Amino acid sequence: MATKKKVITKDDIVSKYMEEVLEKGQKPKSVYHFAKENDFTEAEFYAFFGTLEGLEKEIFRLFFENTVNLLHKNEEYQQYDMKNKMLSFYFTFFEILTANRSYVLQTLKIDRNPLKNLVQLTTLRNSFKEYVSEILTDDYRLEQERFQKFQEKAIQESAWLQLMMTIKFWMEDESPAFEKTDIFIEKSVNASFELMNVAPMNHLIDFGKFLFKEKVYSR
């Protein structure tokens, strides 16, 4: 009696891809070669991913997804303010990256062109920006609604830039247990939230509105 072939899952494909990149030090040449060398069909691959590039992006999105899932398992997390939610995200996310450090370093340095390596992070970028928007509280939101959309986009982009800077610092960190990265996270997040203090901006906008009214109605 023929042995029934195991049904391959999305997680199986992700795991096999990461293993192959680490063992061979390079990406598979094509979906065909990747599938053949790992004993599954192209059709099984395409059931979950459209391209190898899509698979690469999904791996980093899964790092993000696993981070958020772990955060939500902590009942205290829901009571945190925005800054502490962000700190919790950073520490958890970098724990997951550290558990997969060899793969992350390999793939983010595999191409001589840094921009090609960063393409893998586009899906992570979208997910992270959505996360920042979700945890944004009124404490850091301008009172004037007309400026809120612009402000939210600015916060999302600056938060993403900060995350990228932290990833770069972590990749170059040679300290035991990456303790310097922990310090970098705490100091950079604290500094960014100091800069996000909207009280001075609200005062400036109110002052601007006052000057505008005075100029228009005093004529």
Side-chain angles (χ1 to χ4, degrees):
M1 183 176 178
T3 305
K4 187 176 180 180
K5 184 180 177 182
K6 177 189 173 184
V7 176
I8 193 164
T9 66
K10 180 179 179 179
D11 288 343
D12 291 332
I13 294 176
V14 167
S15 179
K16 289 177 183 294
Y17 183 84
M18 293 176 71
E19 287 177 9
E20 182 162 330
V21 169
L22 285 171
E23 290 176 0
K24 296 186 176 181
Q26 61 183 13
K27 301 176 183 180
K29 294 180 180 179
S30 65
V31 172
Y32 169 80
H33 286 95
F34 175 50
K36 185 176 180 180
E37 291 184 7
N38 288 280
D39 196 29
F40 60 89
T41 67
E42 288 184 78
E44 288 175 307
F45 176 91
Y46 289 124
F48 301 104
F49 306 101
T51 61
L52 288 175
E53 290 73 19
L55 168 55
E56 292 168 352
K57 293 176 184 178
E58 178 65 8
I59 290 172
F60 282 93
R61 193 198 68 79
L62 288 172
F63 293 157
F64 170 86
E65 184 179 271
N66 291 339
T67 298
V68 174
N69 288 340
L70 285 171
L71 291 175
H72 284 292
K73 287 180 180 178
N74 180 1
E75 294 181 2
E76 295 180 358
Y77 170 79
Q78 300 299 335
Q79 309 304 319
Y80 290 167
D81 59 16
M82 184 181 176
K83 185 174 80 170
N84 283 306
K85 282 184 177 179
M86 186 64 78
L87 281 169
S88 297
F89 172 86
Y90 264 90
F91 287 126
T92 306
F93 182 68
F94 279 91
E95 281 182 11
I96 290 175
L97 287 193
T98 298
N100 297 277
R101 184 174 172 86
S102 294
Y103 173 81
V104 175
L105 293 182
Q106 177 83 359
T107 54
L108 291 184
K109 293 181 178 179
I110 206 165
D111 199 292
R112 291 182 179 180
N113 184 346
L115 293 178
K116 288 186 177 180
N117 294 323
L118 294 179
V119 168
Q120 299 173 77
L121 304 181
T122 53
T123 306
L124 168 64
R125 178 177 182 271
N126 293 335
S127 297
F128 179 70
K129 286 172 64 177
E130 289 178 8
Y131 171 77
V132 172
S133 180
E134 288 172 4
I135 67 171
L136 181 61
T137 61
D138 289 340
D139 293 336
Y140 299 99
R141 188 177 278 116
L142 292 172
E143 295 173 1
Q144 285 72 19
E145 291 184 9
R146 73 178 72 178
F147 297 105
Q148 286 180 5
K149 190 172 183 180
F150 172 80
Q151 180 208 22
E152 184 170 320
K153 287 183 178 180
I155 290 174
Q156 288 175 331
E157 292 298 340
S158 61
W160 171 248
L161 180 60
Q162 183 179 16
L163 180 60
M164 293 289 288
M165 290 172 59
T166 310
I167 289 174
K168 184 177 186 301
F169 187 94
W170 170 80
M171 290 175 67
E172 298 172 354
D173 188 3
E174 297 179 355
S175 64
F178 308 106
E179 57 189 20
K180 288 185 179 179
T181 296
D182 288 343
I183 296 171
F184 182 91
I185 287 171
E186 189 166 358
K187 289 186 178 296
S188 64
V189 170
N190 284 335
S192 67
F193 275 84
E194 285 296 321
L195 292 172
M196 280 171 58
N197 183 3
V198 299
M201 183 62 72
N202 278 323
H203 292 323
L204 283 173
I205 293 173
D206 286 339
F207 181 57
K209 288 169 66 179
F210 168 77
L211 290 178
F212 176 77
K213 289 179 180 179
E214 286 296 305
K215 184 176 181 180
V216 171
Y217 295 111
S218 62
R219 290 179 178 179

